[in-house]
Amino acid sequence: MRVLLVEDEVALAQVVKRGLEGEGWVVDVEHDGESGLWAATENAYDAMVLDIMLPRLDGYRVLEQLRAHEVWTPVVMLTAKDGDFDQTDALDLGADDYLTKPFSFVVLAARLRALVRRGAPRRPAVLQVGTLRLDPATHRVDRSGTPIRLTAREFSLLHHLMRHPDQVVGKTELLDQVWDGAYEGDVNVVEVYVGYLRRKIDVPFGATTIETVRGAGYRLVAG
């Protein structure tokens, strides 16, 4: 397994490199953001460990550009920045995990192994199906550049459907993911909210994005 480590603290980078090599990894090391971005786009890696506070280009921008170029290598952010908003920003930009310094090497290695097991599926920070776009970080939705105002529940429902384009998603799954597992109301509430969504994201644009699959659920298509 091959990992890219982007860390500007040379001594720390060497310690992590030796530890990962002892675990059987092949480790490439870069010490600034621009070099890390170049390495990650030019080479295939099973995982990446990325610091945030880097010279030349910070880790947020590296991550943002990687996902914009559709590089889906699993990324663990390794940083001294431990604020809630720091972690939120990293995850919304496409990070897969977040570990703060000081950290346990054993935990880092375990998290890398877990990420490799999951693989590197396509998971853009901004979702797009046809002309419909949804940005989870800013809670903005638009079609062909025209903003669409949604309630929190409508947004969550659309978000889940857009995470599974061209797949049939059942009402029970939507209740579990968009409402919660403890919801005991009528399952047809899903149908009601799908109707709300259609009137906002489809009808004004002459589109048919949400299809009903009788007896199975709903499928989001390009429209």
Side-chain angles (χ1 to χ4, degrees):
M1 295 182 291
R2 189 178 184 191
V3 62
L4 174 63
L5 172 63
V6 187
E7 169 60 64
D8 64 328
E9 296 181 42
V10 177
L12 175 60
Q14 289 304 309
V15 169
V16 174
K17 174 180 167 67
R18 287 195 298 271
L20 290 175
E21 287 175 340
E23 296 276 330
W25 292 76
V26 175
V27 184
D28 292 341
V29 178
E30 299 293 345
H31 298 297
D32 67 81
E34 287 187 1
S35 298
L37 177 61
W38 181 89
T41 53
E42 293 296 318
N43 303 293
Y45 292 99
D46 295 290
M48 181 176 178
V49 179
L50 179 63
D51 192 10
I52 291 179
M53 303 299 292
L54 292 168
R56 301 177 70 186
L57 193 67
D58 69 52
Y60 291 133
R61 304 288 75 79
V62 172
L63 182 60
E64 185 176 41
Q65 292 190 40
L66 282 178
R67 298 316 188 216
H69 286 86
E70 299 193 344
V71 176
W72 308 116
T73 306
V75 175
V76 178
M77 304 301 282
L78 182 63
T79 177
K81 295 171 70 68
D82 61 356
D84 290 344
F85 289 106
D86 298 317
Q87 297 185 45
T88 299
D89 289 343
L91 295 171
D92 281 340
L93 285 171
D96 299 273
D97 206 344
Y98 195 102
L99 196 58
T100 57
K101 301 174 183 176
F103 64 94
S104 163
F105 174 79
V106 173
V107 172
L108 172 62
R111 291 188 178 187
L112 286 173
R113 290 193 297 270
L115 290 182
V116 171
R117 286 195 297 271
R118 291 181 216 157
R122 188 176 185 275
R123 52 198 189 286
V126 176
L127 305 179
Q128 182 159 355
V129 177
T131 58
L132 186 66
R133 285 168 38 94
L134 180 149
D135 187 340
T138 62
H139 274 236
R140 291 177 179 169
V141 177
D142 69 78
R143 187 184 282 281
S144 301
T146 301
I148 301 172
R149 295 176 62 87
L150 300 179
T151 66
R153 187 78 71 189
E154 291 164 353
F155 183 91
S156 296
L157 177 58
L158 180 61
H159 187 192
H160 190 76
L161 290 171
M162 290 185 73
R163 285 286 185 194
H164 304 84
D166 297 315
Q167 299 178 31
V168 178
V169 183
K171 288 183 179 180
T172 301
E173 177 180 340
L174 290 170
L175 280 175
D176 288 342
Q177 298 296 323
V178 178
W179 279 259
D180 60 58
Y183 177 78
E184 296 180 351
D186 191 338
V187 69
N188 288 325
V189 70
V190 176
E191 185 176 338
V192 173
Y193 272 85
V194 167
Y196 294 159
L197 267 183
R198 283 173 169 151
R199 287 196 286 273
K200 292 184 178 182
I201 69 172
D202 281 348
V203 174
F205 303 93
T208 304
T209 303
I210 305 176
E211 296 180 342
T212 299
V213 181
R214 293 197 177 279
Y218 301 96
R219 175 169 51 218
L220 191 88
V221 297

